[in-house]
């Protein structure tokens, strides 16, 4: 790190749990962010600002007027642009030293497997069950830790699934694929209050920074937040020995 980098990241470097070594690990790390919407916006901005060396942002959608209420990486002038491109530009404005690739196609199958395998950590910022299961399976196969977030209406949740840890459950242990819960509803159908995606996305970015810098211990279990009461709840999530995804590993 040169003097400018030491100054830019000084408030993290002064944390004994991160220090110079942890910041160097952040700068050498590569995060894959799938989805550049409500969750992906704060994730991309915070990871770039915090000094993640390399980000890959994937989103096939275009910025729409109804997104701007909460997807803070996109501005009014970005209407109609691809979300991954728009978020890349916003993150680069914060930190031009970050290497950022925008993937404007929907990640699936081989393209998803390749993008996951190239990353040190994956952040699931999508809002569809099908995407969540595909990302979870790819992370499990490549043994890359997954930070999963979700937000709808006034409720949010966060979980970390670390395939490198033999005791860690996976997303399918928590939500068996035949189970269709509340989360299957999209923000377009159900609505979401603006800062909730910022809260959960920031939580995801924090866990990713911890995973790659080595600070603290990764989040365990499932945390849920009810914005109407302001209450967090925490649940243990056991690994399912019959899980269709991770029992094979
Ligand atoms: Zn599992």
């Amino acid at each position: 790190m040169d003097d400018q980098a030491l100054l830019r990241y000084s408030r993290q470097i002064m944390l004994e749990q991160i220090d110079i070594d942890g910041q160097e690990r952040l700068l050498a790390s590569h995060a894959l962010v799938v989805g550049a919407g409500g969750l992906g916006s704060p994730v991309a901005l915070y990871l770039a600002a915090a000094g993640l060396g390399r980000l890959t942002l994937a989103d096939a959608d275009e910025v729409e007027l109804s997104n701007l209420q909460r997807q803070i990486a996109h501005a009014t002038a970005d209407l109609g642009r691809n979300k991954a491109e728009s978020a890349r530009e916003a993150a680069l404005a914060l930190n031009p030293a970050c290497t950022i690739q925008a993937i404007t196609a929907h990640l699936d199958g081989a393209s998803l497997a390749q993008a996951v395998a190239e990353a040190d950590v994956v952040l699931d910022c999508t809002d569809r069950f099908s995407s969540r299961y595909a990302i979870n399976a790819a992370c499990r196969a490549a043994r890359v830790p997954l930070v999963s977030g979700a937000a709808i209406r006034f409720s949010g949740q966060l979980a970390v699934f670390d395939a490198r840890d033999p005791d860690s459950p996976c997303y399918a242990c928590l939500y068996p694929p035949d189970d269709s819960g509340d989360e299957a509803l999209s923000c377009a159908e159900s609505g979401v209050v603006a800062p909730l995606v910022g809260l959960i996305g920031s939580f995801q970015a924090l866990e990713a920074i911890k995973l790659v810098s080595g600070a603290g211990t990764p989040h365990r279990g499932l945390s849920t937040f009810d914005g109407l009461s302001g209450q967090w709840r925490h649940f243990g999530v056991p690994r399912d020995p019959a899980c269709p995804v991770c029992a094979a590993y």
Side-chain angles (χ1 to χ4, degrees):
M1 272 183 281
D2 60 18
D3 286 352
Q4 286 293 304
L6 287 168
L7 186 57
R8 178 183 281 267
Y9 307 120
S10 58
R11 300 313 191 258
Q12 272 172 195
I13 292 170
M14 70 173 61
L15 302 172
E16 65 179 53
Q17 297 87 349
I18 294 181
D19 212 324
I20 296 257
D21 289 346
Q23 188 64 47
E24 294 279 13
R25 283 192 285 274
L26 285 170
L27 291 165
S29 295
H30 178 195
L32 169 65
V33 183
V34 189
L39 298 171
S41 287
V43 162
L45 296 177
Y46 271 122
L47 292 185
L52 256 284
R54 193 174 156 207
L55 294 181
T56 298
L57 309 177
D59 202 312
D61 291 344
E62 292 175 354
V63 179
E64 297 177 18
L65 186 58
S66 62
N67 300 149
L68 298 181
Q69 157 257 11
R70 66 196 178 282
Q71 301 186 11
I72 59 170
H74 314 303
T76 303
D78 295 316
L79 286 171
R81 292 184 68 196
N82 171 267
K83 287 188 184 180
E85 294 278 10
S86 169
R88 175 181 181 272
E89 196 171 290
L92 280 176
L94 273 175
N95 192 349
C98 191
T99 300
I100 307 181
Q101 180 193 5
I103 297 179
T104 60
H106 179 65
L107 279 182
D108 209 350
S111 66
L112 176 63
Q114 185 185 344
V116 166
E118 289 174 359
D120 298 304
V121 61
V122 174
L123 296 103
D124 183 349
C125 302
T126 65
D127 60 359
R128 288 191 187 90
F129 263 131
S130 57
S131 299
R132 292 181 178 280
Y133 287 120
I135 293 164
N136 175 64
C139 286
R140 215 72 203 181
R143 296 222 182 279
V144 175
L146 168 64
V147 183
S148 177
I152 198 101
R153 301 190 183 110
F154 283 88
S155 306
Q157 56 180 255
L158 176 124
V160 175
F161 306 105
D162 190 347
R164 302 166 305 176
D165 174 358
D167 295 326
S168 176
C170 81
Y171 184 79
C173 293
L174 176 60
Y175 295 111
D178 57 348
D179 190 44
S180 60
D182 206 23
E183 200 198 345
L185 299 170
S186 69
C187 292
E189 294 159 329
S190 306
V192 61
V193 64
L196 192 74
V197 290
L199 191 75
I200 300 298
S202 299
F203 201 168
Q204 288 181 272
L206 173 64
E207 288 300 320
I209 286 169
K210 286 165 54 190
L211 281 164
V212 297
S213 72
T217 52
H219 178 277
R220 285 196 171 258
L222 172 72
S223 290
T224 66
F225 180 71
D226 172 21
L228 288 173
S229 65
Q231 298 296 304
W232 285 96
R233 295 181 71 191
H234 306 282
F235 305 88
V237 179
R239 190 167 178 187
D240 177 3
C243 173
V245 175
C246 70
Y249 296 104

